[in-house]
Coordinates of all heavy atoms in Angstrom, one line a residue:
I237 N 126.9 83.8 97.0 CA 127.7 85.0 97.1 C 128.0 85.3 98.6 O 129.1 85.6 99.1 CB 127.1 86.2 96.4 CG1 127.1 86.0 94.9 CG2 127.8 87.5 96.8 CD1 126.2 87.0 94.2
S248 N 140.2 86.8 106.3 CA 140.7 87.9 105.6 C 142.1 88.3 106.1 O 142.9 88.9 105.4 CB 139.8 89.1 105.7 OG 139.6 89.4 107.1
F266 N 132.7 91.3 109.0 CA 132.5 89.9 109.4 C 131.2 89.7 110.2 O 130.4 88.8 109.9 CB 133.7 89.3 110.2 CG 133.5 87.9 110.6 CD1 133.6 86.8 109.7 CD2 133.1 87.6 111.9 CE1 133.4 85.5 110.1 CE2 132.9 86.3 112.4 CZ 133.1 85.2 111.4
I274 N 123.4 83.4 108.7 CA 122.6 82.7 109.6 C 121.1 82.9 109.2 O 120.3 82.0 109.2 CB 122.8 83.1 111.0 CG1 124.2 82.7 111.5 CG2 121.8 82.6 112.0 CD1 124.7 83.2 112.8
I278 N 118.3 80.0 107.9 CA 117.0 79.8 108.5 C 115.9 79.9 107.4 O 115.0 79.0 107.4 CB 116.7 80.9 109.6 CG1 117.7 80.7 110.7 CG2 115.3 80.8 110.0 CD1 117.6 81.8 111.8
L324 N 147.7 93.5 134.1 CA 148.0 94.5 133.1 C 146.8 95.3 132.7 O 145.7 94.7 132.4 CB 148.6 93.8 131.8 CG 148.9 94.6 130.6 CD1 150.2 95.4 130.8 CD2 149.0 93.8 129.4
S326 N 145.7 98.0 129.7 CA 146.0 98.7 128.5 C 144.8 99.6 128.1 O 143.6 99.1 128.1 CB 146.2 97.7 127.3 OG 146.4 98.3 126.1
N338 N 138.0 121.7 130.7 CA 137.1 122.7 131.2 C 137.7 123.4 132.5 O 136.9 124.0 133.3 CB 135.7 122.2 131.5 CG 135.1 121.6 130.2 OD1 135.1 122.3 129.2 ND2 134.5 120.4 130.3
Y351 N 140.2 106.3 137.8 CA 140.0 104.8 137.4 C 141.4 104.1 137.4 O 141.5 103.0 137.9 CB 139.4 104.7 136.1 CG 139.3 103.3 135.5 CD1 138.2 102.5 135.9 CD2 140.3 102.8 134.7 CE1 138.1 101.2 135.4 CE2 140.2 101.5 134.3 CZ 139.1 100.7 134.6 OH 139.1 99.4 134.2
E364 N 147.4 107.4 123.5 CA 146.7 108.7 123.5 C 146.6 109.3 124.9 O 145.5 109.6 125.4 CB 145.3 108.6 122.8 CG 145.4 108.4 121.3 CD 144.1 108.6 120.6 OE1 143.2 109.4 121.1 OE2 143.8 107.9 119.6
E372 N 152.4 117.1 135.1 CA 151.8 117.5 136.4 C 151.8 116.5 137.5 O 152.0 116.8 138.7 CB 150.4 118.0 136.2 CG 150.3 119.3 135.4 CD 148.9 119.7 135.2 OE1 147.9 119.0 135.5 OE2 148.6 120.8 134.6
C388 N 158.2 104.9 131.6 CA 158.9 105.3 130.3 C 157.9 105.9 129.4 O 156.7 105.6 129.5 CB 159.6 104.1 129.7 SG 158.5 102.7 129.2
S406 N 164.3 101.7 127.6 CA 163.1 102.1 126.9 C 163.5 102.8 125.6 O 164.5 103.5 125.5 CB 162.2 102.9 127.7 OG 162.7 104.2 127.9
C421 N 159.8 98.9 126.2 CA 160.6 99.0 127.4 C 161.0 97.6 127.9 O 160.3 96.6 127.6 CB 160.0 99.8 128.5 SG 158.7 99.0 129.4
V432 N 158.1 94.8 127.1 CA 156.7 95.3 126.9 C 156.7 96.2 125.6 O 157.5 97.1 125.5 CB 156.2 96.1 128.1 CG1 154.8 96.6 127.8 CG2 156.2 95.2 129.3
K444 N 134.7 114.0 111.7 CA 133.3 113.8 112.1 C 132.4 113.6 110.9 O 131.5 112.8 110.9 CB 132.8 115.0 112.9 CG 131.4 114.9 113.5 CD 131.4 113.8 114.5 CE 130.1 113.8 115.3 NZ 128.9 113.5 114.5
D465 N 129.5 108.4 96.6 CA 129.8 109.5 97.6 C 130.7 109.1 98.7 O 131.2 109.9 99.5 CB 128.4 110.0 98.2 CG 127.5 110.6 97.2 OD1 128.1 111.1 96.2 OD2 126.3 110.7 97.5
M490 N 160.8 92.9 115.3 CA 161.5 93.1 116.6 C 161.2 91.9 117.5 O 162.1 91.4 118.2 CB 161.0 94.4 117.2 CG 161.4 95.6 116.5 SD 160.9 97.1 117.4 CE 161.7 96.9 119.0
I491 N 160.0 91.4 117.5 CA 159.6 90.3 118.4 C 160.4 89.0 118.0 O 160.9 88.3 118.9 CB 158.1 90.0 118.3 CG1 157.3 91.2 118.9 CG2 157.8 88.7 119.1 CD1 155.9 91.1 118.7
T495 N 165.0 88.9 123.0 CA 165.8 88.0 123.9 C 165.2 87.9 125.3 O 165.7 87.1 126.1 CB 167.2 88.4 124.0 OG1 167.3 89.8 124.5 CG2 167.9 88.4 122.6
G529 N 139.3 85.2 127.2 CA 138.2 86.2 127.2 C 136.8 85.5 126.8 O 136.8 84.3 126.5
S535 N 135.8 97.0 122.3 CA 136.6 97.9 123.0 C 136.5 99.3 122.5 O 136.8 100.3 123.2 CB 138.1 97.5 123.1 OG 138.6 97.5 121.7
H547 N 144.1 95.1 121.8 CA 144.5 93.7 122.0 C 145.7 93.6 123.0 O 146.4 94.5 123.2 CB 144.9 93.1 120.6 CG 143.9 93.2 119.6 ND1 142.7 92.5 119.6 CD2 143.8 94.0 118.4 CE1 142.0 92.8 118.5 NE2 142.6 93.7 117.8
T575 N 144.0 92.5 131.9 CA 144.5 91.1 131.7 C 145.3 90.6 132.8 O 146.1 91.3 133.4 CB 145.4 91.1 130.4 OG1 144.7 91.7 129.3 CG2 145.7 89.6 130.0

Side-chain angles (χ1 to χ4, degrees):
I237 294 171
S248 58
F266 180 76
I274 293 173
I278 294 172
L324 174 78
S326 179
N338 299 316
Y351 173 88
E364 288 191 32
E372 289 176 354
C388 61
S406 69
C421 79
V432 179
K444 185 65 170 65
D465 293 338
M490 290 183 63
I491 293 172
T495 59
S535 63
H547 305 289
T575 308

